[in-house]
């Protein structure tokens, strides 16, 4: 059995989708990231970085003791190796999947995350930050579109893989982030095909009701490290006095 320490975010959904696609038994352990559960000593014992998702596999391959893994990309690689699914066996195919997975982890996810933060959640609108991250997010949509136009199928090639599973939940945020897939016809085709997969939909349904539409100051502090406005003013006043 696998315990999935989970919150309903794109990175969390990567893993619930993968577990459903692999038809592995798992138990969801909710982590309320707006309440700060991720900073507890218990959770930090699983992931020192204090971020979801984390899995604890009580039946790992060739091991007797449970295995704990954090970072969504590492978890996807682990589950692909455990099940022998969604990862090609040949050298070129395997590294095509791995390089596009790394692209999602280092580029698509972080840049869409920053675009979403400064466009939707930041307490102060910063035009430079909004323009900078929107332009980069737009560029990355273009990279993905060109790649999918080249393959005519999936992100890493002819077969559905963990690279697709990693990218899909982030592309799913396109409307909220102000992007239209009409501009990216190959992404639109790919997105529609993946969205029709029943097991992907089942994984995506995990925790959907827990998504919060509005955030109070405490939730912002837990999610973004942003202290309430009154606390920030007190800090600024203290800094003035120090000088």
């Amino acid at each position: 059995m696998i315990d999935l320490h989970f919150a309903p975010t794109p990175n969390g959904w990567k893993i619930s989708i993968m577990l459903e696609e692999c038809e592995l038994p798992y138990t969801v352990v909710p982590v309320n990231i707006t309440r700060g559960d991720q900073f507890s000593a218990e959770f930090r014992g699983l992931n020192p970085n204090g971020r979801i998702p984390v899995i604890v596999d009580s039946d790992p391959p060739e091991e007797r003791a449970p295995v704990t893994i954090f970072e969504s990309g590492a978890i996807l690689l682990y589950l692909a190796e455990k099940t022998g699914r969604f990862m090609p066996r040949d050298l070129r195919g395997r590294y095509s999947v791995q390089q596009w997975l790394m692209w999602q982890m280092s580029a698509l996810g972080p840049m869409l995350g920053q675009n979403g933060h400064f466009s939707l959640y930041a307490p102060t609108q910063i035009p430079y930050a909004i323009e900078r991250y929107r332009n980069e997010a737009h560029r990355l949509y273009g990279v993905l579109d060109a790649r999918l136009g080249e393959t005519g199928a999936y992100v890493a090639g002819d077969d559905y893989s963990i690279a697709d599973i990693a990218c899909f939940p982030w592309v799913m945020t396109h409307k909220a982030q102000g992007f239209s897939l009409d501009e990216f016809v190959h992404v639109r085709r790919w997105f529609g095909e993946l969205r029709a997969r029943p097991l992907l939909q089942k994984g995506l349904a995990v925790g959907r009701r827990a998504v919060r539409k509005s955030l109070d100051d405490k939730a912002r502090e837990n999610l973004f490290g942003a202290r309430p406005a009154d606390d920030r003013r007190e800090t600024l006043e203290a800094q003035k006095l120090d000088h």
Side-chain angles (χ1 to χ4, degrees), residues 11-23:
N11 287 332
W13 283 317
K14 291 179 196 177
I15 309 308
S16 59
I17 289 170
M18 180 65 171
L19 288 166
E20 291 292 344
E21 291 276 22
C22 291
E23 299 181 280

Side-chain angles (χ1 to χ4, degrees), residues 14 26 49 93 103 133 137 173 202 218 224 227 229 232:
K14 291 179 196 177
Y26 68 99
N49 194 39
W103 175 81
Y133 287 113
T173 69
K202 191 174 179 181
K218 186 60 178 176
F224 311 127
R227 288 171 296 184
R232 290 196 299 272

Side-chain angles (χ1 to χ4, degrees), residues 7-239:
T9 71
N11 287 332
W13 283 317
K14 291 179 196 177
I15 309 308
S16 59
I17 289 170
M18 180 65 171
L19 288 166
E20 291 292 344
E21 291 276 22
C22 291
E23 299 181 280
L24 287 169
Y26 68 99
T27 299
V28 174
V29 182
V31 180
N32 190 328
I33 57 177
T34 62
R35 191 176 61 197
D37 291 358
Q38 68 273 31
F39 304 131
S40 70
E42 181 181 4
F43 188 82
R44 293 268 192 177
L46 301 175
N47 182 358
N49 194 39
R51 296 289 185 271
I52 61 94
V54 177
I55 65 167
V56 180
D57 187 357
S58 60
D59 186 28
E62 302 177 7
E63 292 282 344
R64 292 187 178 180
V67 169
T68 301
I69 302 174
F70 60 87
E71 287 295 330
S72 60
I75 297 171
L76 288 173
L77 289 168
Y78 172 81
L79 294 174
E81 182 177 350
K82 177 183 174 76
T83 62
R85 301 191 65 186
F86 309 120
M87 173 67 82
R89 296 183 182 275
D90 65 288
L91 179 70
R92 292 180 185 275
R94 189 166 68 251
Y95 278 95
S96 179
V97 169
Q98 290 185 17
Q99 68 186 6
W100 283 102
L101 174 63
M102 296 305 116
W103 175 81
Q104 186 283 312
M105 295 292 295
S106 66
L108 186 68
M111 292 301 103
L112 290 184
Q114 294 291 349
N115 180 63
H117 174 74
F118 285 105
S119 298
L120 303 173
Y121 299 113
T124 302
Q125 294 287 290
I126 305 173
Y128 173 81
I130 293 172
E131 182 180 10
R132 187 259 188 277
Y133 287 113
R134 181 172 180 79
N135 287 344
E136 183 61 6
H138 186 273
R139 184 188 73 82
L140 291 167
Y141 268 106
V143 171
L144 182 60
D145 194 63
R147 174 59 179 173
L148 290 167
E150 178 185 343
T151 67
Y154 299 103
V155 173
D158 293 335
D159 298 317
Y160 180 65
S161 74
I162 59 174
D164 300 284
I165 293 172
C167 291
F168 179 87
W170 282 102
V171 175
M172 190 177 68
T173 69
H174 66 275
K175 288 183 180 179
Q177 296 205 18
F179 291 102
S180 171
L181 296 188
D182 290 342
E183 184 179 353
F184 307 101
V185 294
H186 303 296
V187 175
R188 184 179 63 189
R189 183 268 309 163
W190 166 86
F191 184 77
E193 291 177 3
L194 264 62
R195 189 168 52 183
R197 295 178 68 93
L199 291 177
L200 182 148
Q201 282 297 320
K202 191 174 179 181
L204 199 58
V206 175
R208 286 299 293 269
R209 292 182 180 178
V211 176
R212 294 183 60 168
K213 300 300 183 182
S214 61
L215 302 175
D216 57 23
D217 281 342
K218 186 60 178 176
R220 288 179 179 277
E221 182 180 358
N222 288 329
L223 290 173
F224 311 127
R227 288 171 296 184
D230 289 344
D231 288 352
R232 290 196 299 272
R233 281 195 293 270
E234 289 176 5
T235 300
L236 290 173
E237 290 302 320
Q239 290 172 345

